[in-house]
């Protein structure tokens, strides 16, 4: 039986590494996605079909109280009202998600660094509820946290600086920036962020998700057009919807699709009236967190200039993780930051902190300070978090007087290259760009999602497994996040254990097929 451990040459490869304007790139842009093998796709659909059939059977037993139902349901007297729960979402949750729910929300009781400690938990009612045993699983290799540069730590320069900031300012501010919550440490942080990005000005926010969802509505509105990549993050999607703008989606990283939408928008204008759009905003991400792909920024900028549009770049996963200086995808391609109208990013990944930022021209930032709901109504960023950002950013920039930042950037790049190369050599199907520290490894079938997560934890490896609806139904995967804090031994351990799990699974499936084949011969 085919598994997710296929050789790269055994199946057709759908490459997205062909640049349509190679003159825009200073180095090769290598990015590949292997199409799901037909047999694997068929078996995956069959797996979900079987789970669905058994789900309806169990719902039938629950309806007649033969099996206990653990989820909320509408009462009989409410049947004529608008339902409180969506039928399919509830069905999927109780019959499919519940089977593998133990792979998510695992409680951590340590710093989420290269290794972490997990609180052991068990379920006695098939994952409906969990009980903590009181035991702790020590030294689990952490391949799930976005700790790209290893700044998630409770010792060292950053931790010491955060402690000093707590002693000086306290933990909470108790007010918004425009009232009594604007501290000198906030001003210092914003000036540093602007200098780091190479832009005129910047402003920061206490929550990364709100940076997108609350600022896009301040930038566009009715009569504006947003062109959004189909794989953009939920925060970008929510912000676009809240803005009231017209939204059109282009295929992921597909410049022909984007250019067609731009041409149509300019030729036809707004629906019905055909008036020109007030604003056309292209919204993309630096690194896409589920695909491990990097935006084709040189081509996007070229299209943006040609059609006089604006560009909103979300660098949540790329800032600090890409580029020779750690300044994100703009630095990675050697582009001018001024060519990006709105530079957005978060401090939750590479900086080991929390919150987000927006950088750009001074008039843009001044406008957002007056019109952004997140700036006007949200509580200011916690002082120790702000200090963590300042200290880690100065280390990356080399302003701490050491080479620690450059060493971590180099280590992350080396770990990423090594990890991706070894996985490919071992025959795994992985997605994304060769330089992306987000490494999706394909699992495909629903049964493998839960099995892989559990087996890795048994081997003291913490991984993130992802399936439908977060991914297409035939593209379930395990997602690894490489960190500068990972040692070569940790990465080798993960690769060896993944391989042993796959080999064992393949042997079991081969024996099952042999038994099935012998039975088939006897019958026919």
């Amino acid at each position: 039986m085919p598994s997710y451990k296929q050789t790269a040459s055994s199946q057709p490869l759908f490459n997205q590494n062909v640049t349509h304007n190679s003159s825009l790139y200073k180095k090769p842009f290598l990015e590949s996605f292997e199409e799901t093998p037909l047999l694997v796709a068929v078996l995956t659909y069959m797996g979900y079909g079987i789970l669905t059939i058994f789900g309806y059977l169990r719902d039938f037993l629950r309806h007649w109280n033969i099996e206990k139902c653990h989820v909320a349901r509408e009462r009989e007297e409410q049947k004529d009202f608008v339902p409180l729960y969506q039928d399919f979402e509830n069905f999927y949750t109780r019959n499919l998600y519940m089977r593998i729910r133990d792979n998510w929300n695992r409680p951590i009781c340590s710093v989420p660094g290269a290794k972490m400690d997990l609180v052991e938990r068990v379920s006695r009612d098939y994952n409906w509820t969990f009980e903590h045993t009181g035991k702790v699983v020590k030294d689990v290799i952490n391949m799930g946290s976005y700790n790209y540069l290893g700044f998630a730590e409770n010792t060292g320069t950053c931790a010491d600086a955060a402690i000093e900031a707590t002693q000086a300012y306290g933990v909470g501010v108790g007010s918004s920036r425009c009232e009594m919550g604007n501290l000198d440490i906030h001003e210092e942080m914003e000036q540093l962020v602007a200098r780091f990005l190479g832009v005129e000005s910047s402003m920061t926010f206490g929550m990364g998700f709100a940076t997108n969802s609350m600022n896009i509505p301040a930038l566009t509105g009715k009569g504006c057009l947003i062109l959004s990549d189909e794989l953009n993050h939920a925060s970008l999607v929510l912000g676009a919807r809240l803005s009231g703008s017209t939204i059109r989606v282009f295929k992921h990283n597909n410049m022909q699709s984007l250019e067609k939408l731009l041409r149509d928008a300019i030729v036809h204008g707004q629906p019905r009236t055909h008036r020109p759009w007030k604003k056309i905003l292209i919204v993309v991400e630096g690194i896409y967190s589920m695909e491990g792909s990097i935006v084709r920024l040189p081509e996007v900028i070229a299209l943006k200039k040609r059609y006089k549009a604006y560009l909103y770049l979300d660098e949540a996963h790329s800032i600090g993780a890409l580029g020779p200086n750690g300044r994100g995808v703009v630095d990675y391609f050697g582009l001018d930051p001024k060519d990006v109208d709105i530079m957005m990013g978060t401090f939750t990944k590479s900086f080991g902190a929390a919150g987000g930022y927006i950088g750009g021209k001074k008039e843009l930032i001044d406008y957002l300070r007056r019109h952004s709901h997140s700036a006007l109504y949200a509580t200011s960023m916690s002082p120790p978090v702000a200090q963590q950002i300042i200290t880690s950013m100065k280390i990356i920039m080399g302003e701490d007087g050491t080479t620690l930042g450059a060493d971590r950037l180099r280590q992350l790049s080396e770990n990423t290259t090594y990890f991706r190369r070894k996985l490919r050599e071992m025959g795994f199907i992985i997605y994304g760009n060769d330089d992306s520290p987000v490494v999706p490894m394909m699992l495909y079938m629903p049964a493998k999602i839960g099995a892989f997560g559990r087996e890795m934890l048994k081997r003291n490896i913490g991984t993130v497994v992802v399936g439908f609806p977060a991914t297409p139904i035939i593209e379930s995967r395990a997602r690894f996040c490489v960190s500068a804090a990972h040692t070569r031994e940790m990465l080798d351990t993960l690769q060896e254990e993944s391989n042993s799990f796959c080999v064992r699974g393949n042997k079991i499936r081969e024996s099952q097929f042999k038994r099935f084949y012998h039975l088939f011969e006897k019958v026919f």
Side-chain angles (χ1 to χ4, degrees):
M1 177 184 290
S3 72
Y4 53 84
K5 186 177 182 296
Q6 301 279 349
T7 59
S9 59
S10 64
Q11 298 296 339
L13 192 65
F14 174 63
N15 274 319
Q16 288 193 339
N17 56 7
V18 179
T19 55
H20 303 106
N21 193 344
S22 58
S23 63
L24 297 175
Y25 295 84
K26 298 179 181 179
K27 60 180 180 179
F29 186 77
L30 303 176
E31 195 165 274
S32 62
F33 298 89
E34 185 167 331
E35 291 182 348
T36 305
L38 179 60
L39 181 58
V40 173
V42 171
L43 293 173
T44 302
Y45 280 120
M46 287 177 59
Y48 278 104
I50 293 170
L51 289 172
T52 302
I53 292 171
F54 274 91
Y56 279 115
L57 177 60
R58 298 189 73 167
D59 277 357
F60 175 79
L61 297 177
R62 293 177 185 128
H63 177 74
W64 294 102
N65 295 321
I66 299 174
E67 181 177 330
K68 185 178 179 182
C69 184
H70 298 269
V71 296
R73 293 181 295 180
E74 285 88 358
R75 298 174 182 173
E76 185 65 25
E77 55 267 28
Q78 294 176 304
K79 63 181 181 180
D80 295 327
F81 291 84
V82 176
L84 296 173
Y85 310 102
Q86 297 185 26
D87 286 342
F88 180 74
E89 287 187 7
N90 254 4
F91 175 85
Y92 187 89
T93 299
R94 64 179 174 264
N95 293 306
L96 281 81
Y97 170 72
M98 202 58 62
R99 292 172 175 267
I100 54 177
R101 182 171 167 240
D102 56 304
N103 283 281
W104 291 280
N105 305 316
R106 288 171 177 153
I108 298 173
C109 56
S110 70
V111 174
K115 290 187 176 182
M116 59 186 175
D117 298 337
L118 300 181
V119 176
E120 187 180 70
R121 62 180 184 177
V122 296
S123 177
R124 308 187 192 281
D125 53 5
Y126 202 63
N127 287 348
W128 288 102
T129 61
F130 293 99
E131 298 176 10
H132 294 166
T133 63
K135 298 180 181 178
V136 175
V137 184
K138 294 280 189 180
D139 295 329
V140 177
I141 298 175
N142 181 7
M143 294 300 300
S145 296
Y146 305 131
N147 184 28
Y148 297 129
L149 292 180
F151 283 115
E153 51 195 1
N154 55 5
T155 58
T157 307
C158 291
D160 294 341
I163 292 172
E164 291 178 8
T166 304
Q167 293 172 341
Y169 298 95
V171 174
V173 179
S175 181
S176 63
R177 290 285 296 276
C178 61
E179 293 173 335
M180 297 296 294
N182 190 32
L183 306 178
D184 58 345
I185 196 173
H186 293 141
E187 298 282 347
E188 178 188 355
M189 174 176 57
E190 290 181 340
Q191 292 171 9
L192 181 64
V193 170
R195 191 152 48 85
F196 179 62
L197 298 175
V199 296
E200 291 180 9
S201 184
S202 76
M203 64 184 301
T204 57
F205 307 87
M207 181 181 179
F209 192 98
T211 306
N212 279 330
S213 60
M214 292 290 100
N215 283 291
I216 292 178
L219 295 169
T220 64
K222 190 175 180 181
C224 298
L225 175 65
I226 293 178
L227 303 180
S228 176
D229 189 290
E230 65 179 344
L231 296 183
N232 275 344
H233 191 262
S235 59
L236 294 168
V237 175
L238 178 60
R241 290 175 177 171
L242 290 175
S243 71
S245 305
T246 301
I247 305 169
R248 289 176 185 162
V249 178
F250 62 91
K251 294 179 182 179
H252 174 55
N253 242 355
N254 189 312
M255 296 302 105
Q256 290 95 336
S257 176
L258 174 59
E259 185 168 17
K260 184 179 184 303
L261 290 179
L262 283 166
R263 283 179 176 175
D264 290 346
I266 292 172
V267 171
H268 300 295
Q270 300 184 41
R272 295 190 301 276
T273 64
H274 299 292
R275 293 176 180 173
W277 295 99
K278 295 178 181 178
K279 222 180 280 180
I280 299 178
L281 182 66
I282 303 170
V283 181
V284 294
E285 293 187 49
I287 293 179
Y288 291 84
S289 60
M290 282 296 170
E291 305 299 316
S293 54
I294 297 175
V295 66
R296 297 176 176 276
L297 193 60
E299 295 177 70
V300 175
I301 289 177
L303 289 175
K304 166 237 169 185
K305 289 181 177 180
R306 184 183 307 166
Y307 294 99
K308 303 298 187 291
Y310 294 96
L311 177 58
Y312 187 109
L313 174 63
D314 178 345
E315 293 222 70
H317 287 269
S318 54
I319 192 68
L322 283 181
N325 303 299
R327 292 173 181 171
V329 69
V330 176
D331 184 31
Y332 175 76
F333 287 112
L335 303 172
D336 188 347
K338 295 178 182 177
D339 288 335
V340 180
D341 301 287
I342 304 104
M343 298 186 71
M344 177 271 170
T346 62
F347 304 117
T348 55
K349 281 83 175 175
S350 297
F351 303 94
Y357 66 82
I358 284 185
K361 293 183 178 179
K362 188 176 185 304
E363 51 262 40
L364 166 72
I365 303 305
D366 291 343
Y367 174 85
L368 287 176
R369 290 191 195 279
R370 298 191 302 269
H371 293 87
S372 169
H373 284 72
S374 186
L376 293 171
Y377 301 112
T379 302
S380 299
M381 184 184 289
S382 176
V385 173
Q387 185 60 59
Q388 166 78 17
I389 296 166
I390 292 171
T391 308
S392 59
M393 192 171 289
K394 284 184 176 181
I395 291 174
I396 296 172
M397 297 170 71
E399 294 186 2
D400 63 330
T402 70
T403 61
L404 180 59
D407 293 341
R408 294 195 183 200
L409 290 169
R410 185 182 66 255
Q411 188 63 51
L412 174 62
S413 178
E414 291 177 359
N415 284 354
T416 298
T417 302
Y418 174 77
F419 188 63
R420 281 182 168 271
R421 177 173 56 81
K422 292 292 287 186
L423 285 179
R424 282 203 179 96
E425 288 175 357
M426 296 170 74
F428 291 103
I429 298 174
I430 60 174
Y431 274 7
N433 193 285
D434 286 357
D435 294 323
S436 170
V438 179
V439 186
M441 187 181 80
M442 305 312 293
L443 301 177
Y444 297 120
M445 300 179 192
K448 291 180 179 177
I449 300 173
F452 187 84
R454 296 184 192 110
E455 290 298 324
M456 288 298 102
L457 186 58
K458 288 179 183 177
R459 294 159 169 79
N460 253 34
I461 300 171
T463 61
V464 172
V465 287
V466 192
F468 181 81
T471 68
I473 197 167
I474 58 172
E475 293 184 11
S476 299
R477 66 199 65 178
R479 185 189 64 182
F480 306 118
C481 293
V482 182
S483 170
H486 289 137
T487 63
R488 191 63 59 90
E489 290 73 20
M490 293 178 188
L491 299 178
D492 287 339
T493 298
L494 172 61
Q495 292 157 359
E496 291 168 4
E497 295 297 349
S498 298
N499 189 48
S500 68
F501 169 72
C502 297
V503 170
R504 186 169 61 87
N506 285 337
K507 287 181 179 178
I508 293 172
R509 281 187 290 276
E510 286 172 7
S511 64
Q512 290 172 341
F513 261 109
K514 286 179 182 178
R515 289 197 297 269
F516 176 78
Y517 181 73
H518 292 321
L519 178 63
F520 183 84
E521 282 185 326
K522 290 179 182 179
V523 173
F524 296 98

